[in-house]
Amino acid sequence: EAQVTQNPRYLITVTGKKLTVTCSQNMNHEYMSWYRQDPGLGLRQIYYSMNVEVTDKGDVPEGYKVSRKEKRNFPLILESPSPNQTSLYFCASSDTQTSGITDTQYFGPGTRLTVL
Amino acid sequence: RKEVEQDPGPFNVPEGATVAFNCTYSNSASQSFFWYRQDCRKEPKLLMSVYSSGNEDGRFTAQLNRASQYISLLIRDSKLSDSATYLCVVYDWGNKLVFGAGTILRVKS
């Protein structure tokens, strides 16, 4: 089954304790990205990756890191989480064309993070 | 001004009603446009792309007006299962997808 998986699905942590949210896709997609979703603000892009070893900042990259060592995996790292990073996080992947991203973004099920 | 703006709603409609959502975008160079559907606490899923000529998929019709920089989604004969949040999405240059905050639709029997 074609899918994007994220782990963990729910996480409660404390300020300053490093954490990693994993994301994996089995569709051989080149493009992967991370979003956070907050009430009234919609999804905002944190980081994206066009391919292995290629990552770029999105709209809200502060406080986050990513890596793309393999095509299928795109982990999101919070080195020192703070309460303002409490949010719902989505990983997504898609194919790319020469003109850019194709129309279908496949999203993971989401990770609900609470930072106390 | 937000890059993509939507009326947050909620739109409360009876079953069988026709309902329309609009979305405006600020970047006139935007390339592609989409509507995604998001059920409560779930991941967004592509509903349909929006083409310049307009397109229809069953009860759903999407329109694009580049001159006025807005897109619309029309849902005919609303079903209870249509209750969700509808996200307007715009693809800008630089491999960036910009999401609106969403419009909540509640269809009631």
Side-chain angles (χ1 to χ4, degrees), chain A residues 2-6 23-24 27 29 33-35 43 89-94 103-110, chain B residues 36-38 42-46 87 89 97 99:
Chain A
Q3 61 181 354
V4 179
T5 57
Q6 290 179 230
C23 173
S24 183
M27 295 168 278
H29 285 164
S33 60
W34 275 102
Y35 297 88
L43 279 88
Y89 291 86
F90 288 104
C91 178
S93 73
S94 70
D103 51 0
T104 304
Q105 291 282 301
Y106 294 88
F107 285 84
Chain B
Y36 276 72
R37 172 193 168 128
Q38 185 176 25
K42 297 280 186 69
E43 69 273 26
K45 292 183 180 178
L46 179 68
L87 307 175
V89 184
L97 282 173
F99 286 76

PDB file of all heavy atoms in Angstrom, chain A residues 2-6 23-24 27 29 33-35 43 89-94 103-110, chain B residues 36-38 42-46 87 89 97 99:
ATOM      1  N   ALA A   2       0.583   2.162  -0.931  1.00  0.00           N
ATOM      2  CA  ALA A   2       1.327   3.413  -0.997  1.00  0.00           C
ATOM      3  C   ALA A   2       0.986   4.266   0.218  1.00  0.00           C
ATOM      4  O   ALA A   2      -0.190   4.503   0.499  1.00  0.00           O
ATOM      5  CB  ALA A   2       0.965   4.168  -2.275  1.00  0.00           C
ATOM      6  N   GLN A   3       2.007   4.703   0.930  1.00  0.00           N
ATOM      7  CA  GLN A   3       1.705   5.496   2.117  1.00  0.00           C
ATOM      8  C   GLN A   3       2.897   6.291   2.606  1.00  0.00           C
ATOM      9  O   GLN A   3       4.045   6.023   2.259  1.00  0.00           O
ATOM     10  CB  GLN A   3       1.199   4.598   3.242  1.00  0.00           C
ATOM     11  CG  GLN A   3       2.186   3.543   3.686  1.00  0.00           C
ATOM     12  CD  GLN A   3       1.605   2.677   4.798  1.00  0.00           C
ATOM     13  OE1 GLN A   3       0.523   2.912   5.322  1.00  0.00           O
ATOM     14  NE2 GLN A   3       2.331   1.648   5.171  1.00  0.00           N
ATOM     15  N   VAL A   4       2.575   7.270   3.442  1.00  0.00           N
ATOM     16  CA  VAL A   4       3.560   8.045   4.180  1.00  0.00           C
ATOM     17  C   VAL A   4       3.315   7.756   5.660  1.00  0.00           C
ATOM     18  O   VAL A   4       2.183   7.878   6.127  1.00  0.00           O
ATOM     19  CB  VAL A   4       3.412   9.554   3.909  1.00  0.00           C
ATOM     20  CG1 VAL A   4       4.431  10.346   4.718  1.00  0.00           C
ATOM     21  CG2 VAL A   4       3.565   9.852   2.420  1.00  0.00           C
ATOM     22  N   THR A   5       4.345   7.354   6.350  1.00  0.00           N
ATOM     23  CA  THR A   5       4.192   7.040   7.766  1.00  0.00           C
ATOM     24  C   THR A   5       4.993   8.030   8.604  1.00  0.00           C
ATOM     25  O   THR A   5       6.052   8.516   8.180  1.00  0.00           O
ATOM     26  CB  THR A   5       4.660   5.611   8.086  1.00  0.00           C
ATOM     27  OG1 THR A   5       6.022   5.471   7.663  1.00  0.00           O
ATOM     28  CG2 THR A   5       3.817   4.589   7.362  1.00  0.00           C
ATOM     29  N   GLN A   6       4.453   8.343   9.761  1.00  0.00           N
ATOM     30  CA  GLN A   6       5.106   9.242  10.704  1.00  0.00           C
ATOM     31  C   GLN A   6       5.099   8.584  12.068  1.00  0.00           C
ATOM     32  O   GLN A   6       4.127   7.943  12.460  1.00  0.00           O
ATOM     33  CB  GLN A   6       4.331  10.567  10.820  1.00  0.00           C
ATOM     34  CG  GLN A   6       4.375  11.457   9.644  1.00  0.00           C
ATOM     35  CD  GLN A   6       3.554  12.727   9.873  1.00  0.00           C
ATOM     36  OE1 GLN A   6       2.729  13.087   9.032  1.00  0.00           O
ATOM     37  NE2 GLN A   6       3.780  13.422  10.974  1.00  0.00           N
ATOM     38  N   CYS A  23       9.717  10.300   9.326  1.00  0.00           N
ATOM     39  CA  CYS A  23       8.797  10.292   8.192  1.00  0.00           C
ATOM     40  C   CYS A  23       9.375   9.359   7.136  1.00  0.00           C
ATOM     41  O   CYS A  23      10.558   9.478   6.788  1.00  0.00           O
ATOM     42  CB  CYS A  23       8.621  11.691   7.619  1.00  0.00           C
ATOM     43  SG  CYS A  23       7.661  11.715   6.082  1.00  0.00           S
ATOM     44  N   SER A  24       8.553   8.491   6.626  1.00  0.00           N
ATOM     45  CA  SER A  24       9.007   7.557   5.607  1.00  0.00           C
ATOM     46  C   SER A  24       7.915   7.359   4.560  1.00  0.00           C
ATOM     47  O   SER A  24       6.745   7.282   4.887  1.00  0.00           O
ATOM     48  CB  SER A  24       9.352   6.212   6.264  1.00  0.00           C
ATOM     49  OG  SER A  24       9.850   5.312   5.315  1.00  0.00           O
ATOM     50  N   MET A  27       6.788   5.342  -1.930  1.00  0.00           N
ATOM     51  CA  MET A  27       6.340   5.603  -3.296  1.00  0.00           C
ATOM     52  C   MET A  27       7.473   6.078  -4.205  1.00  0.00           C
ATOM     53  O   MET A  27       7.241   6.486  -5.341  1.00  0.00           O
ATOM     54  CB  MET A  27       5.216   6.647  -3.272  1.00  0.00           C
ATOM     55  CG  MET A  27       3.975   6.143  -2.559  1.00  0.00           C
ATOM     56  SD  MET A  27       2.771   7.445  -2.214  1.00  0.00           S
ATOM     57  CE  MET A  27       3.468   8.157  -0.724  1.00  0.00           C
ATOM     58  N   HIS A  29       9.081   8.750  -4.072  1.00  0.00           N
ATOM     59  CA  HIS A  29       8.929  10.166  -4.399  1.00  0.00           C
ATOM     60  C   HIS A  29      10.219  10.920  -4.153  1.00  0.00           C
ATOM     61  O   HIS A  29      10.934  10.664  -3.197  1.00  0.00           O
ATOM     62  CB  HIS A  29       7.815  10.779  -3.538  1.00  0.00           C
ATOM     63  CG  HIS A  29       6.451  10.396  -3.991  1.00  0.00           C
ATOM     64  ND1 HIS A  29       5.324  10.552  -3.188  1.00  0.00           N
ATOM     65  CD2 HIS A  29       6.002   9.881  -5.163  1.00  0.00           C
ATOM     66  CE1 HIS A  29       4.264  10.148  -3.849  1.00  0.00           C
ATOM     67  NE2 HIS A  29       4.645   9.734  -5.043  1.00  0.00           N
ATOM     68  N   SER A  33       8.348  17.008   2.300  1.00  0.00           N
ATOM     69  CA  SER A  33       8.280  18.267   3.038  1.00  0.00           C
ATOM     70  C   SER A  33       7.640  18.055   4.408  1.00  0.00           C
ATOM     71  O   SER A  33       6.968  17.036   4.640  1.00  0.00           O
ATOM     72  CB  SER A  33       7.497  19.317   2.253  1.00  0.00           C
ATOM     73  OG  SER A  33       6.174  18.880   2.021  1.00  0.00           O
ATOM     74  N   TRP A  34       7.866  19.038   5.257  1.00  0.00           N
ATOM     75  CA  TRP A  34       7.265  19.056   6.580  1.00  0.00           C
ATOM     76  C   TRP A  34       6.433  20.329   6.722  1.00  0.00           C
ATOM     77  O   TRP A  34       6.865  21.418   6.305  1.00  0.00           O
ATOM     78  CB  TRP A  34       8.332  19.042   7.676  1.00  0.00           C
ATOM     79  CG  TRP A  34       8.809  17.679   8.027  1.00  0.00           C
ATOM     80  CD1 TRP A  34       9.973  17.078   7.646  1.00  0.00           C
ATOM     81  CD2 TRP A  34       8.126  16.734   8.857  1.00  0.00           C
ATOM     82  NE1 TRP A  34      10.054  15.822   8.176  1.00  0.00           N
ATOM     83  CE2 TRP A  34       8.932  15.586   8.924  1.00  0.00           C
ATOM     84  CE3 TRP A  34       6.906  16.739   9.546  1.00  0.00           C
ATOM     85  CZ2 TRP A  34       8.564  14.458   9.655  1.00  0.00           C
ATOM     86  CZ3 TRP A  34       6.538  15.627  10.269  1.00  0.00           C
ATOM     87  CH2 TRP A  34       7.366  14.497  10.324  1.00  0.00           C
ATOM     88  N   TYR A  35       5.259  20.156   7.346  1.00  0.00           N
ATOM     89  CA  TYR A  35       4.375  21.276   7.622  1.00  0.00           C
ATOM     90  C   TYR A  35       3.975  21.234   9.090  1.00  0.00           C
ATOM     91  O   TYR A  35       3.931  20.181   9.711  1.00  0.00           O
ATOM     92  CB  TYR A  35       3.082  21.179   6.801  1.00  0.00           C
ATOM     93  CG  TYR A  35       3.271  21.233   5.304  1.00  0.00           C
ATOM     94  CD1 TYR A  35       3.507  20.083   4.564  1.00  0.00           C
ATOM     95  CD2 TYR A  35       3.185  22.450   4.628  1.00  0.00           C
ATOM     96  CE1 TYR A  35       3.669  20.135   3.191  1.00  0.00           C
ATOM     97  CE2 TYR A  35       3.338  22.507   3.248  1.00  0.00           C
ATOM     98  CZ  TYR A  35       3.574  21.335   2.545  1.00  0.00           C
ATOM     99  OH  TYR A  35       3.727  21.393   1.183  1.00  0.00           O
ATOM    100  N   LEU A  43      -1.741  25.225   7.116  1.00  0.00           N
ATOM    101  CA  LEU A  43      -0.471  24.516   7.077  1.00  0.00           C
ATOM    102  C   LEU A  43       0.633  25.461   6.637  1.00  0.00           C
ATOM    103  O   LEU A  43       0.481  26.176   5.632  1.00  0.00           O
ATOM    104  CB  LEU A  43      -0.536  23.334   6.098  1.00  0.00           C
ATOM    105  CG  LEU A  43      -1.179  22.068   6.621  1.00  0.00           C
ATOM    106  CD1 LEU A  43      -2.678  22.112   6.369  1.00  0.00           C
ATOM    107  CD2 LEU A  43      -0.566  20.855   5.957  1.00  0.00           C
ATOM    108  N   TYR A  89       1.934  18.286  13.259  1.00  0.00           N
ATOM    109  CA  TYR A  89       2.933  18.244  12.199  1.00  0.00           C
ATOM    110  C   TYR A  89       2.566  17.184  11.162  1.00  0.00           C
ATOM    111  O   TYR A  89       2.186  16.063  11.496  1.00  0.00           O
ATOM    112  CB  TYR A  89       4.304  17.914  12.791  1.00  0.00           C
ATOM    113  CG  TYR A  89       4.871  19.027  13.638  1.00  0.00           C
ATOM    114  CD1 TYR A  89       4.542  19.134  14.990  1.00  0.00           C
ATOM    115  CD2 TYR A  89       5.712  19.984  13.079  1.00  0.00           C
ATOM    116  CE1 TYR A  89       5.037  20.167  15.760  1.00  0.00           C
ATOM    117  CE2 TYR A  89       6.223  21.018  13.851  1.00  0.00           C
ATOM    118  CZ  TYR A  89       5.883  21.101  15.187  1.00  0.00           C
ATOM    119  OH  TYR A  89       6.378  22.132  15.943  1.00  0.00           O
ATOM    120  N   PHE A  90       2.724  17.573   9.900  1.00  0.00           N
ATOM    121  CA  PHE A  90       2.480  16.655   8.787  1.00  0.00           C
ATOM    122  C   PHE A  90       3.710  16.563   7.899  1.00  0.00           C
ATOM    123  O   PHE A  90       4.301  17.574   7.538  1.00  0.00           O
ATOM    124  CB  PHE A  90       1.303  17.120   7.923  1.00  0.00           C
ATOM    125  CG  PHE A  90      -0.039  16.967   8.577  1.00  0.00           C
ATOM    126  CD1 PHE A  90      -0.702  18.068   9.083  1.00  0.00           C
ATOM    127  CD2 PHE A  90      -0.642  15.723   8.649  1.00  0.00           C
ATOM    128  CE1 PHE A  90      -1.947  17.935   9.670  1.00  0.00           C
ATOM    129  CE2 PHE A  90      -1.895  15.577   9.241  1.00  0.00           C
ATOM    130  CZ  PHE A  90      -2.539  16.692   9.759  1.00  0.00           C
ATOM    131  N   CYS A  91       4.036  15.346   7.546  1.00  0.00           N
ATOM    132  CA  CYS A  91       5.028  15.095   6.520  1.00  0.00           C
ATOM    133  C   CYS A  91       4.280  14.813   5.222  1.00  0.00           C
ATOM    134  O   CYS A  91       3.159  14.274   5.249  1.00  0.00           O
ATOM    135  CB  CYS A  91       5.872  13.887   6.915  1.00  0.00           C
ATOM    136  SG  CYS A  91       7.125  13.408   5.731  1.00  0.00           S
ATOM    137  N   ALA A  92       4.860  15.182   4.094  1.00  0.00           N
ATOM    138  CA  ALA A  92       4.194  14.937   2.811  1.00  0.00           C
ATOM    139  C   ALA A  92       5.240  14.588   1.767  1.00  0.00           C
ATOM    140  O   ALA A  92       6.408  14.964   1.879  1.00  0.00           O
ATOM    141  CB  ALA A  92       3.398  16.167   2.372  1.00  0.00           C
ATOM    142  N   SER A  93       4.797  13.878   0.740  1.00  0.00           N
ATOM    143  CA  SER A  93       5.698  13.562  -0.365  1.00  0.00           C
ATOM    144  C   SER A  93       4.939  13.639  -1.676  1.00  0.00           C
ATOM    145  O   SER A  93       3.706  13.546  -1.706  1.00  0.00           O
ATOM    146  CB  SER A  93       6.312  12.165  -0.210  1.00  0.00           C
ATOM    147  OG  SER A  93       5.361  11.150  -0.481  1.00  0.00           O
ATOM    148  N   SER A  94       5.682  13.840  -2.754  1.00  0.00           N
ATOM    149  CA  SER A  94       5.060  13.842  -4.077  1.00  0.00           C
ATOM    150  C   SER A  94       6.120  13.612  -5.135  1.00  0.00           C
ATOM    151  O   SER A  94       7.308  13.766  -4.899  1.00  0.00           O
ATOM    152  CB  SER A  94       4.335  15.166  -4.341  1.00  0.00           C
ATOM    153  OG  SER A  94       5.253  16.216  -4.512  1.00  0.00           O
ATOM    154  N   ASP A 103       0.638  17.564  -8.818  1.00  0.00           N
ATOM    155  CA  ASP A 103      -0.487  18.074  -8.067  1.00  0.00           C
ATOM    156  C   ASP A 103      -0.779  17.306  -6.791  1.00  0.00           C
ATOM    157  O   ASP A 103      -1.350  17.871  -5.872  1.00  0.00           O
ATOM    158  CB  ASP A 103      -1.750  18.114  -8.948  1.00  0.00           C
ATOM    159  CG  ASP A 103      -2.003  16.791  -9.646  1.00  0.00           C
ATOM    160  OD1 ASP A 103      -1.221  15.863  -9.460  1.00  0.00           O
ATOM    161  OD2 ASP A 103      -3.007  16.710 -10.375  1.00  0.00           O
ATOM    162  N   THR A 104      -0.417  16.073  -6.679  1.00  0.00           N
ATOM    163  CA  THR A 104      -0.854  15.295  -5.526  1.00  0.00           C
ATOM    164  C   THR A 104       0.222  15.224  -4.457  1.00  0.00           C
ATOM    165  O   THR A 104       1.273  14.647  -4.667  1.00  0.00           O
ATOM    166  CB  THR A 104      -1.253  13.876  -5.944  1.00  0.00           C
ATOM    167  OG1 THR A 104      -2.246  13.956  -6.953  1.00  0.00           O
ATOM    168  CG2 THR A 104      -1.796  13.112  -4.750  1.00  0.00           C
ATOM    169  N   GLN A 105      -0.053  15.850  -3.334  1.00  0.00           N
ATOM    170  CA  GLN A 105       0.777  15.709  -2.147  1.00  0.00           C
ATOM    171  C   GLN A 105       0.164  14.589  -1.312  1.00  0.00           C
ATOM    172  O   GLN A 105      -1.020  14.610  -1.006  1.00  0.00           O
ATOM    173  CB  GLN A 105       0.764  16.998  -1.326  1.00  0.00           C
ATOM    174  CG  GLN A 105       1.475  18.164  -1.982  1.00  0.00           C
ATOM    175  CD  GLN A 105       2.973  18.065  -1.847  1.00  0.00           C
ATOM    176  OE1 GLN A 105       3.524  18.016  -0.763  1.00  0.00           O
ATOM    177  NE2 GLN A 105       3.647  18.047  -2.987  1.00  0.00           N
ATOM    178  N   TYR A 106       0.978  13.616  -0.945  1.00  0.00           N
ATOM    179  CA  TYR A 106       0.516  12.537  -0.061  1.00  0.00           C
ATOM    180  C   TYR A 106       1.005  12.860   1.344  1.00  0.00           C
ATOM    181  O   TYR A 106       2.208  12.988   1.569  1.00  0.00           O
ATOM    182  CB  TYR A 106       1.072  11.193  -0.525  1.00  0.00           C
ATOM    183  CG  TYR A 106       0.531  10.757  -1.865  1.00  0.00           C
ATOM    184  CD1 TYR A 106       1.155  11.151  -3.041  1.00  0.00           C
ATOM    185  CD2 TYR A 106      -0.597   9.949  -1.952  1.00  0.00           C
ATOM    186  CE1 TYR A 106       0.663  10.763  -4.282  1.00  0.00           C
ATOM    187  CE2 TYR A 106      -1.083   9.543  -3.182  1.00  0.00           C
ATOM    188  CZ  TYR A 106      -0.453   9.956  -4.342  1.00  0.00           C
ATOM    189  OH  TYR A 106      -0.941   9.571  -5.565  1.00  0.00           O
ATOM    190  N   PHE A 107       0.063  12.969   2.250  1.00  0.00           N
ATOM    191  CA  PHE A 107       0.391  13.358   3.610  1.00  0.00           C
ATOM    192  C   PHE A 107       0.441  12.147   4.535  1.00  0.00           C
ATOM    193  O   PHE A 107      -0.315  11.178   4.371  1.00  0.00           O
ATOM    194  CB  PHE A 107      -0.652  14.334   4.154  1.00  0.00           C
ATOM    195  CG  PHE A 107      -0.527  15.732   3.607  1.00  0.00           C
ATOM    196  CD1 PHE A 107      -1.105  16.077   2.400  1.00  0.00           C
ATOM    197  CD2 PHE A 107       0.191  16.688   4.307  1.00  0.00           C
ATOM    198  CE1 PHE A 107      -0.985  17.354   1.889  1.00  0.00           C
ATOM    199  CE2 PHE A 107       0.316  17.974   3.810  1.00  0.00           C
ATOM    200  CZ  PHE A 107      -0.265  18.310   2.597  1.00  0.00           C
ATOM    201  N   GLY A 108       1.324  12.226   5.511  1.00  0.00           N
ATOM    202  CA  GLY A 108       1.306  11.264   6.593  1.00  0.00           C
ATOM    203  C   GLY A 108       0.146  11.552   7.528  1.00  0.00           C
ATOM    204  O   GLY A 108      -0.535  12.568   7.385  1.00  0.00           O
ATOM    205  N   PRO A 109      -0.079  10.694   8.512  1.00  0.00           N
ATOM    206  CA  PRO A 109      -1.246  10.836   9.400  1.00  0.00           C
ATOM    207  C   PRO A 109      -1.133  11.953  10.421  1.00  0.00           C
ATOM    208  O   PRO A 109      -2.115  12.285  11.078  1.00  0.00           O
ATOM    209  CB  PRO A 109      -1.306   9.478  10.104  1.00  0.00           C
ATOM    210  CG  PRO A 109       0.105   9.001  10.098  1.00  0.00           C
ATOM    211  CD  PRO A 109       0.693   9.481   8.811  1.00  0.00           C
ATOM    212  N   GLY A 110       0.042  12.539  10.550  1.00  0.00           N
ATOM    213  CA  GLY A 110       0.203  13.651  11.488  1.00  0.00           C
ATOM    214  C   GLY A 110       0.821  13.233  12.807  1.00  0.00           C
ATOM    215  O   GLY A 110       0.650  12.093  13.257  1.00  0.00           O
TER     216      GLY A 110
ATOM    217  N   TYR B  36      -7.888  20.832  -1.390  1.00  0.00           N
ATOM    218  CA  TYR B  36      -7.679  19.651  -0.568  1.00  0.00           C
ATOM    219  C   TYR B  36      -8.812  19.587   0.454  1.00  0.00           C
ATOM    220  O   TYR B  36      -9.364  20.600   0.864  1.00  0.00           O
ATOM    221  CB  TYR B  36      -6.336  19.716   0.184  1.00  0.00           C
ATOM    222  CG  TYR B  36      -5.159  19.241  -0.629  1.00  0.00           C
ATOM    223  CD1 TYR B  36      -4.673  20.007  -1.682  1.00  0.00           C
ATOM    224  CD2 TYR B  36      -4.531  18.037  -0.342  1.00  0.00           C
ATOM    225  CE1 TYR B  36      -3.589  19.573  -2.431  1.00  0.00           C
ATOM    226  CE2 TYR B  36      -3.445  17.595  -1.084  1.00  0.00           C
ATOM    227  CZ  TYR B  36      -2.983  18.372  -2.131  1.00  0.00           C
ATOM    228  OH  TYR B  36      -1.907  17.936  -2.873  1.00  0.00           O
ATOM    229  N   ARG B  37      -9.102  18.368   0.869  1.00  0.00           N
ATOM    230  CA  ARG B  37     -10.105  18.152   1.903  1.00  0.00           C
ATOM    231  C   ARG B  37      -9.400  17.598   3.138  1.00  0.00           C
ATOM    232  O   ARG B  37      -8.526  16.729   3.031  1.00  0.00           O
ATOM    233  CB  ARG B  37     -11.145  17.149   1.386  1.00  0.00           C
ATOM    234  CG  ARG B  37     -12.113  16.713   2.453  1.00  0.00           C
ATOM    235  CD  ARG B  37     -12.908  15.512   2.023  1.00  0.00           C
ATOM    236  NE  ARG B  37     -13.609  14.965   3.173  1.00  0.00           N
ATOM    237  CZ  ARG B  37     -14.903  14.707   3.222  1.00  0.00           C
ATOM    238  NH1 ARG B  37     -15.658  14.912   2.153  1.00  0.00           N
ATOM    239  NH2 ARG B  37     -15.448  14.222   4.327  1.00  0.00           N
ATOM    240  N   GLN B  38      -9.804  18.127   4.300  1.00  0.00           N
ATOM    241  CA  GLN B  38      -9.223  17.631   5.547  1.00  0.00           C
ATOM    242  C   GLN B  38     -10.333  17.321   6.533  1.00  0.00           C
ATOM    243  O   GLN B  38     -11.094  18.212   6.927  1.00  0.00           O
ATOM    244  CB  GLN B  38      -8.246  18.650   6.151  1.00  0.00           C
ATOM    245  CG  GLN B  38      -7.536  18.118   7.388  1.00  0.00           C
ATOM    246  CD  GLN B  38      -6.494  19.070   7.930  1.00  0.00           C
ATOM    247  OE1 GLN B  38      -6.556  20.277   7.722  1.00  0.00           O
ATOM    248  NE2 GLN B  38      -5.500  18.537   8.630  1.00  0.00           N
ATOM    249  N   LYS B  42      -7.313  14.742  10.778  1.00  0.00           N
ATOM    250  CA  LYS B  42      -6.707  13.803   9.833  1.00  0.00           C
ATOM    251  C   LYS B  42      -5.823  14.564   8.838  1.00  0.00           C
ATOM    252  O   LYS B  42      -5.790  15.792   8.830  1.00  0.00           O
ATOM    253  CB  LYS B  42      -7.811  13.063   9.049  1.00  0.00           C
ATOM    254  CG  LYS B  42      -8.716  12.214   9.911  1.00  0.00           C
ATOM    255  CD  LYS B  42      -8.078  10.916  10.254  1.00  0.00           C
ATOM    256  CE  LYS B  42      -9.002   9.975  10.992  1.00  0.00           C
ATOM    257  NZ  LYS B  42     -10.098   9.483  10.130  1.00  0.00           N
ATOM    258  N   GLU B  43      -5.128  13.798   8.011  1.00  0.00           N
ATOM    259  CA  GLU B  43      -4.267  14.444   7.030  1.00  0.00           C
ATOM    260  C   GLU B  43      -5.076  14.988   5.856  1.00  0.00           C
ATOM    261  O   GLU B  43      -6.113  14.423   5.494  1.00  0.00           O
ATOM    262  CB  GLU B  43      -3.214  13.454   6.506  1.00  0.00           C
ATOM    263  CG  GLU B  43      -3.753  12.334   5.632  1.00  0.00           C
ATOM    264  CD  GLU B  43      -4.206  11.134   6.423  1.00  0.00           C
ATOM    265  OE1 GLU B  43      -4.577  11.274   7.623  1.00  0.00           O
ATOM    266  OE2 GLU B  43      -4.216  10.039   5.843  1.00  0.00           O
ATOM    267  N   PRO B  44      -4.617  16.064   5.230  1.00  0.00           N
ATOM    268  CA  PRO B  44      -5.284  16.586   4.031  1.00  0.00           C
ATOM    269  C   PRO B  44      -5.157  15.597   2.878  1.00  0.00           C
ATOM    270  O   PRO B  44      -4.153  14.897   2.747  1.00  0.00           O
ATOM    271  CB  PRO B  44      -4.509  17.876   3.725  1.00  0.00           C
ATOM    272  CG  PRO B  44      -3.782  18.214   4.975  1.00  0.00           C
ATOM    273  CD  PRO B  44      -3.486  16.906   5.645  1.00  0.00           C
ATOM    274  N   LYS B  45      -6.175  15.588   2.025  1.00  0.00           N
ATOM    275  CA  LYS B  45      -6.139  14.742   0.828  1.00  0.00           C
ATOM    276  C   LYS B  45      -6.614  15.561  -0.358  1.00  0.00           C
ATOM    277  O   LYS B  45      -7.541  16.373  -0.234  1.00  0.00           O
ATOM    278  CB  LYS B  45      -7.031  13.516   1.008  1.00  0.00           C
ATOM    279  CG  LYS B  45      -6.500  12.550   2.066  1.00  0.00           C
ATOM    280  CD  LYS B  45      -7.344  11.304   2.179  1.00  0.00           C
ATOM    281  CE  LYS B  45      -6.774  10.369   3.243  1.00  0.00           C
ATOM    282  NZ  LYS B  45      -7.605   9.162   3.424  1.00  0.00           N
ATOM    283  N   LEU B  46      -5.973  15.337  -1.494  1.00  0.00           N
ATOM    284  CA  LEU B  46      -6.322  16.092  -2.697  1.00  0.00           C
ATOM    285  C   LEU B  46      -7.760  15.824  -3.099  1.00  0.00           C
ATOM    286  O   LEU B  46      -8.175  14.676  -3.258  1.00  0.00           O
ATOM    287  CB  LEU B  46      -5.384  15.716  -3.843  1.00  0.00           C
ATOM    288  CG  LEU B  46      -5.658  16.422  -5.163  1.00  0.00           C
ATOM    289  CD1 LEU B  46      -5.336  17.917  -5.046  1.00  0.00           C
ATOM    290  CD2 LEU B  46      -4.854  15.785  -6.298  1.00  0.00           C
ATOM    291  N   LEU B  87      -9.375  23.047   2.005  1.00  0.00           N
ATOM    292  CA  LEU B  87      -8.163  23.866   1.950  1.00  0.00           C
ATOM    293  C   LEU B  87      -7.873  24.286   0.514  1.00  0.00           C
ATOM    294  O   LEU B  87      -7.808  23.453  -0.382  1.00  0.00           O
ATOM    295  CB  LEU B  87      -6.963  23.069   2.481  1.00  0.00           C
ATOM    296  CG  LEU B  87      -7.103  22.440   3.862  1.00  0.00           C
ATOM    297  CD1 LEU B  87      -5.870  21.589   4.175  1.00  0.00           C
ATOM    298  CD2 LEU B  87      -7.275  23.508   4.918  1.00  0.00           C
ATOM    299  N   VAL B  89      -5.149  25.609  -2.042  1.00  0.00           N
ATOM    300  CA  VAL B  89      -3.696  25.469  -2.102  1.00  0.00           C
ATOM    301  C   VAL B  89      -3.192  26.060  -3.415  1.00  0.00           C
ATOM    302  O   VAL B  89      -3.740  25.771  -4.487  1.00  0.00           O
ATOM    303  CB  VAL B  89      -3.274  23.989  -2.004  1.00  0.00           C
ATOM    304  CG1 VAL B  89      -1.761  23.873  -1.967  1.00  0.00           C
ATOM    305  CG2 VAL B  89      -3.884  23.344  -0.771  1.00  0.00           C
ATOM    306  N   LEU B  97       4.393  25.218  -1.903  1.00  0.00           N
ATOM    307  CA  LEU B  97       2.940  25.138  -1.843  1.00  0.00           C
ATOM    308  C   LEU B  97       2.452  26.008  -0.699  1.00  0.00           C
ATOM    309  O   LEU B  97       2.965  25.908   0.412  1.00  0.00           O
ATOM    310  CB  LEU B  97       2.486  23.708  -1.598  1.00  0.00           C
ATOM    311  CG  LEU B  97       2.493  22.752  -2.781  1.00  0.00           C
ATOM    312  CD1 LEU B  97       2.185  21.349  -2.309  1.00  0.00           C
ATOM    313  CD2 LEU B  97       1.498  23.173  -3.834  1.00  0.00           C
ATOM    314  N   PHE B  99      -0.776  27.061   1.599  1.00  0.00           N
ATOM    315  CA  PHE B  99      -2.098  26.601   1.995  1.00  0.00           C
ATOM    316  C   PHE B  99      -2.911  27.725   2.619  1.00  0.00           C
ATOM    317  O   PHE B  99      -2.384  28.511   3.417  1.00  0.00           O
ATOM    318  CB  PHE B  99      -1.966  25.489   3.036  1.00  0.00           C
ATOM    319  CG  PHE B  99      -1.521  24.169   2.476  1.00  0.00           C
ATOM    320  CD1 PHE B  99      -0.195  23.969   2.129  1.00  0.00           C
ATOM    321  CD2 PHE B  99      -2.415  23.137   2.316  1.00  0.00           C
ATOM    322  CE1 PHE B  99       0.223  22.751   1.615  1.00  0.00           C
ATOM    323  CE2 PHE B  99      -2.012  21.910   1.808  1.00  0.00           C
ATOM    324  CZ  PHE B  99      -0.681  21.725   1.455  1.00  0.00           C
TER     325      PHE B  99
END
